[in-house]
Amino acid sequence: APDAALGPLLVAFALHAAGDDEAAEREFARGLERLDPRERTRAERIDLLLRARERSLFRSLPADERDAYLDAFWRLADPLWLTPANEARTEHLARHLWTRLLAAAPRVHGMTPWGEDMAELTIRYGVPVDRERISGFWSSEVPLLEHFDSLQLAFAPANLRTGGLPPPPLPGADWPLDEPAARSGHHPTTVRRIRELPHQVSRFPDGDSVLVRIDADFPLDSAARGAPSILTGLFLLDAGHRPALDRRAETTPQSDTVRFTAHTRVAPGDFTYGVEALEPRSRLAARARYPLTIPAPTPDSLSLSDVVVARPFGDGALPGHRFDPRPPPPPT
């Protein structure tokens, strides 16, 4: 890289390693702007994160469509919309720098020689968090076993155009981010852990639009219990994966499980919704992010809401309206 770009890129690399992704994002932007177009394309390449069909489609896109694709890709790959930085993108750019540093490093006895295959693995899964040598009497070679972060999740949408985002899993099924054969993985340093957020979505037809209600449970672990506040958010992206709604709130926990309700009015169309929770002190987080279809109104026929699964009403008052929190619906 030219000297004008190298400084900001190395500063960004150090800031990211220190866990300050917001500042790293700004420095990466400065450094990338100073690269020539060919070098910038190489420093940002994402095709290694995509499945084969998606990769072929991405490479065939004209320049304007590729820019729109990248914008949507990184927005959906962002681990948490509640945080100001896109931790996945800063990690991806840092991994590209790692490949340059490791390619120039002296080879250590027992390590595999650096090559394009090692560069690809580094871009997809990062650098190892641990190494161990395995020795035996049957061979003079000393193999080196590398371990990667076990908390990595599959944030990158590897089939964005060819498959779209996966639908919500059925009860008891695996969370899509925990995919065993993920094309790539990442564990953001700005959070301690990201869990699946149990939630229930209810759609109520109302004139020319639909009222959408989401009820979620955020279980706190031992490190997060006693927190003074929890940040929550409801987000919508339109059919082009552009932001359509960003609604945030702060909740005071009343128990070991934070229950919260979010709702909004939505016009007919195809969307991606996101619901998130973050305990800032211990950095425990949870999220759900799935496709959402809002059907067009049918004024000449009967319109039904989704089935709402509720807890027993008992002897208490019945709900008085669609957003009445009594009793809070279970999240699954």
Side-chain angles (χ1 to χ4, degrees):
D3 292 342
L6 187 60
L9 290 175
L10 290 177
V11 170
F13 186 77
L15 288 168
H16 169 69
D20 191 350
D21 280 307
E22 189 175 3
E25 204 167 45
R26 292 193 296 268
E27 292 299 321
F28 270 129
R30 287 181 57 210
L32 291 172
E33 286 174 358
R34 300 176 186 186
L35 294 176
D36 64 69
R38 181 178 178 182
E39 189 65 28
R40 176 167 183 166
T41 298
R42 182 183 175 189
E44 294 181 298
R45 65 179 296 202
I46 67 164
D47 53 329
L48 296 176
L49 310 182
L50 307 177
R51 300 286 184 190
R53 287 181 57 211
E54 188 78 10
R55 188 162 59 247
S56 298
L57 184 149
F58 172 74
R59 289 172 175 170
S60 68
L61 292 176
D64 57 338
E65 284 193 48
R66 183 173 293 197
D67 289 342
Y69 182 101
L70 287 171
D71 187 56
F73 177 90
W74 285 121
R75 185 170 292 115
L76 290 167
D78 190 352
L80 284 178
W81 291 331
L82 276 173
T83 58
N86 188 330
E87 296 88 349
R89 187 169 185 270
T90 56
E91 168 69 10
H92 180 71
L93 294 171
R95 289 178 180 182
H96 275 285
L97 276 174
W98 266 119
T99 63
R100 305 296 183 90
L101 294 172
L102 293 172
R107 182 186 171 192
V108 177
H109 175 65
M111 289 186 65
T112 303
W114 189 262
E116 286 301 314
D117 54 345
M118 298 295 290
E120 177 176 340
L121 286 175
T122 301
I123 290 171
R124 289 168 57 188
Y125 302 106
V127 294
V129 295
D130 193 19
R131 292 185 175 91
E132 64 176 304
R133 295 190 184 278
I134 303 175
S135 60
F137 297 105
W138 57 89
S139 173
S140 60
E141 294 185 1
V142 184
L144 195 69
L145 184 64
E146 296 184 327
H147 299 272
F148 292 83
D149 192 342
S150 61
L151 294 179
Q152 289 197 89
L153 296 175
F155 291 109
N159 296 301
L160 181 56
R161 291 259 185 116
T162 55
L165 290 184
L170 295 173
D174 293 334
W175 188 27
L177 295 190
D178 264 335
E179 181 186 357
R183 180 73 186 170
S184 63
H186 171 42
H187 175 210
T189 57
T190 48
V191 296
R192 174 168 54 90
R193 187 176 183 182
I194 295 183
R195 295 174 167 176
E196 180 180 13
L197 184 65
H199 69 292
Q200 183 179 170
V201 179
S202 310
R203 297 169 297 180
F204 300 93
D206 189 36
D208 59 355
S209 61
V210 171
L211 297 172
V212 177
R213 168 175 171 162
I214 297 181
D215 293 275
D217 277 9
F218 181 37
L220 303 179
D221 61 15
S222 58
R225 287 167 192 157
S229 65
I230 303 294
L231 304 179
T232 62
L234 172 63
F235 307 91
L236 277 181
L237 304 182
D238 63 17
H241 304 297
R242 296 175 293 266
L245 177 74
D246 185 325
R247 185 171 296 167
R248 302 162 190 251
E250 193 168 341
T251 302
T252 301
Q254 301 298 323
S255 68
D256 291 346
T257 297
V258 179
R259 294 188 170 93
F260 63 96
T261 298
H263 51 80
T264 186
R265 186 184 297 272
V266 185
D270 292 319
F271 299 87
T272 298
Y273 75 90
V275 58
E276 299 179 355
L278 172 65
E279 196 283 285
R281 188 182 63 180
S282 72
R283 299 179 296 118
L284 177 68
R287 75 168 230 199
R289 191 176 298 174
Y290 299 109
L292 176 69
T293 297
I294 303 299
T298 53
D300 297 329
S301 60
L302 181 65
S303 295
L304 297 177
S305 74
D306 290 324
V307 173
V308 180
V309 180
R311 291 185 171 93
F313 295 131
D315 297 329
L318 296 177
H321 52 83
R322 290 165 171 165
F323 302 123
D324 195 325
R326 303 168 302 169
T332 58

